[in-house]
Amino acid sequence: MEIQSSGRPIDTLMEKVLCMNILSSDYFKELFRLKTYHEVIDEIYNHVDHVEPWMTGNCRGPSTAFCLLYKFFTMKLTVKQMHGLLKHPDSPYIRAVGFLYLRYVAEPKTLWGWYEPYIKDDEEFSPGSNGKMTTMGVYVRDLVLGQYYFDTLLPRVPLPMMRQITAHLEKMKLPTKLSGMTGDSTRMGSDDSTARRPPSVKASLSVSFGQRAPHRASTRDSSPVRKAILDRDRVRERSYDRDRDRERIYDDRDRDRDRDRDRDRDRGRDRDRERDRDRDRERDRRERDRDYNRSSRERRDYDRDKYSSRRSRSRSPRRESLPRGEKGTVSSNLQKLKDLYGDASQPKDDTGAGSERFRRDTSTEEVIRLGGSSSWR
């Protein structure tokens, strides 16, 4: 059964700078060869001589103890394995790594249950690289009461849980203040040079093993973490520039599309305006033609009516030119003419007299028809 944990991801348990330095460390990469719990314990036994988070000396990278502690983070220890660490008889540093594991991973409300059996443990060891000795019980009390561990930040214990732990310590008549063996209560309060954060860590930079002091510019630039940060920033800048260029291209394309759309809209508006103008001109022409045809038709009708009325006026008097009383006289005169010259309707004879008579009769009839007088003899 696994230990009841706080549920936080392992890459957020430690400070980000420390975590990045551990993951980029050459030593931590070599720990991939360790597959079992017992192999990691043997590595602690053979190589760990202090439990500070940072190496000492000229090179300031993550310590061996914290690289192995992070290896345990990836293995997710069980309750049985944890009891084996806390009670291990071979090395106090194996036990110290176990207490650190609990402080980082375990649920805060379960800390007192784990630490209480060892709160008065009198095994002596030196947690720091300065060689100062202390007991395991004092070390455990500093872990549970402190917020800082050798100038690094520990996970926060809720205030109600801290009050309960303090009350338990008071009942056991034990100190409730830090002894200073794991650093001061504030990050910058310690005067011990071994407990200080390396300058590269303050600047969020650090180095792996085998390199020079991290405060120098050449070492700072050659740091794997620095390189990783620079490469990441470079990739981010290139991605940002690429996105900005893509957005600029899209904006230009959208602007050209809008310009073409506006131009097409203007052309369509001009075509519609010209079509309306042509339609108006065609309507005006039709109206003029219709008015002209109407006026021409009215003029023809007027001329026809005028001519008809003139003919009717010219014919009516001739019909009525002869009075009724004179009709009989005209008929008698016509009879006299027929008797005198012969009837034109009769066939002509051989001598041609008939034709001459016809001509005379016709002329006479024409004279009479053209308005001869009744007094003609």
Side-chain angles (χ1 to χ4, degrees):
M1 183 178 63
E2 291 185 7
I3 297 172
Q4 185 179 356
S5 66
S6 59
R8 297 172 59 187
I10 60 174
D11 56 348
T12 61
L13 296 175
M14 296 180 179
E15 284 186 300
K16 186 175 181 180
V17 175
L18 180 58
C19 181
M20 290 178 60
N21 278 269
I22 291 173
L23 294 176
S24 62
S25 170
D26 294 337
Y27 177 71
F28 181 76
K29 294 175 183 178
E30 293 177 0
L31 296 180
F32 291 154
R33 59 184 173 79
L34 303 180
K35 303 299 182 182
T36 64
Y37 160 78
H38 295 287
E39 289 177 345
V40 179
I41 291 179
D42 292 339
E43 189 73 15
I44 296 174
Y45 180 81
N46 293 324
H47 297 287
V48 174
D49 56 2
H50 68 85
V51 285
E52 290 186 16
W54 301 102
M55 294 181 65
T56 60
N58 196 28
C59 180
R60 291 296 182 92
S63 66
T64 306
F66 267 70
C67 289
L68 292 166
L69 174 63
Y70 202 93
K71 179 66 177 180
F72 275 144
F73 288 168
T74 62
M75 298 176 69
K76 297 183 179 180
L77 301 181
T78 63
V79 175
K80 183 179 179 180
Q81 290 173 341
M82 180 53 59
H83 283 299
L85 282 178
L86 300 182
K87 297 177 181 180
H88 205 284
D90 294 340
S91 172
Y93 296 107
I94 297 174
R95 301 180 63 196
V97 171
F99 288 119
L100 282 172
Y101 183 95
L102 290 171
R103 185 65 176 85
Y104 278 105
V105 174
E107 178 69 26
K109 64 182 179 181
T110 64
L111 283 177
W112 180 253
W114 282 105
Y115 285 171
E116 184 180 9
Y118 309 97
I119 209 72
K120 294 182 179 180
D121 195 304
D122 57 358
E123 183 179 7
E124 292 187 353
F125 78 112
S126 176
S129 59
N130 55 6
K132 291 183 180 180
M133 302 297 291
T134 185
T135 63
M136 190 63 69
V138 174
Y139 176 75
V140 170
R141 285 200 305 271
D142 283 357
L143 277 182
V144 75
L145 292 174
Q147 186 67 35
Y148 295 97
Y149 180 79
F150 290 107
D151 209 29
T152 61
L153 190 64
L154 292 172
R156 179 179 173 273
V157 178
L159 188 58
M161 300 294 103
M162 186 60 68
R163 288 174 181 171
Q164 292 180 8
I165 293 172
T166 304
H168 289 308
L169 291 174
E170 290 176 351
K171 286 182 180 180
M172 300 174 67
K173 297 180 181 181
L174 293 174
T176 58
K177 292 184 179 181
L178 297 173
S179 65
M181 296 305 298
T182 59
D184 202 77
S185 59
T186 60
R187 173 166 287 181
M188 302 304 297
S190 177
D191 294 331
D192 187 2
S193 60
T194 60
R196 293 285 185 90
R197 293 163 63 100
S200 61
V201 178
K202 293 180 181 179
S204 299
L205 301 171
S206 186
V207 295
S208 298
F209 302 109
Q211 293 180 337
R212 293 188 298 168
H215 63 277
R216 298 185 182 178
S218 60
T219 307
R220 216 169 33 237
D221 294 337
S222 63
S223 169
V225 178
R226 177 63 174 172
K227 287 181 180 179
I229 293 174
L230 292 176
D231 293 341
R232 184 184 59 196
D233 293 341
R234 240 179 256 115
V235 171
R236 193 172 297 165
E237 289 177 0
R238 282 199 297 268
S239 177
Y240 174 76
D241 294 338
R242 195 183 307 113
D243 294 341
R244 185 176 55 192
D245 294 339
R246 189 182 297 114
E247 290 177 0
R248 188 181 298 113
I249 292 173
Y250 288 159
D251 292 340
D252 295 340
R253 190 179 302 165
D254 294 339
R255 195 179 302 110
D256 294 339
R257 190 184 301 114
D258 294 339
R259 192 182 299 113
D260 294 340
R261 192 182 299 114
D262 294 339
R263 191 182 299 114
D264 295 339
R265 191 185 301 113
D266 294 339
R267 289 176 181 173
R269 193 179 297 115
D270 294 338
R271 283 197 298 270
D272 294 339
R273 193 179 297 114
E274 187 67 25
R275 195 182 299 113
D276 295 339
R277 197 177 296 117
D278 294 341
R279 193 182 299 112
D280 294 339
R281 283 200 292 266
E282 181 67 19
R283 187 170 57 250
D284 294 340
R285 187 183 63 79
R286 289 179 181 176
E287 289 179 356
R288 285 198 302 272
D289 293 343
R290 190 162 51 250
D291 293 341
Y292 176 77
N293 293 333
R294 188 185 299 112
S295 62
S296 300
R297 197 162 47 248
E298 290 177 354
R299 193 180 301 110
R300 286 197 303 270
D301 294 342
Y302 175 77
D303 293 341
R304 188 172 59 251
D305 294 342
K306 184 177 180 180
Y307 178 74
S308 300
S309 62
R310 186 182 300 154
R311 287 186 61 187
S312 62
R313 282 197 304 270
S314 63
R315 287 180 181 180
S316 296
R318 280 199 298 270
R319 284 195 207 98
E320 298 178 359
S321 60
L322 295 176
R324 292 181 179 179
E326 295 180 357
K327 289 182 179 181
T329 305
V330 172
S331 299
S332 61
N333 291 334
L334 182 60
Q335 185 64 37
K336 289 178 180 181
L337 289 173
K338 288 181 178 182
D339 294 338
L340 180 61
Y341 294 103
D343 191 356
S345 62
Q346 294 179 359
K348 64 181 180 177
D349 53 3
D350 296 334
T351 60
S355 60
E356 184 180 357
R357 191 184 304 119
F358 176 75
R359 283 195 301 270
R360 285 197 300 269
D361 293 341
T362 302
S363 62
T364 304
E365 186 178 359
E366 288 179 356
V367 170
I368 295 174
R369 187 177 298 166
L370 291 176
S373 173
S374 60
S375 60
W376 182 86
R377 298 188 184 263

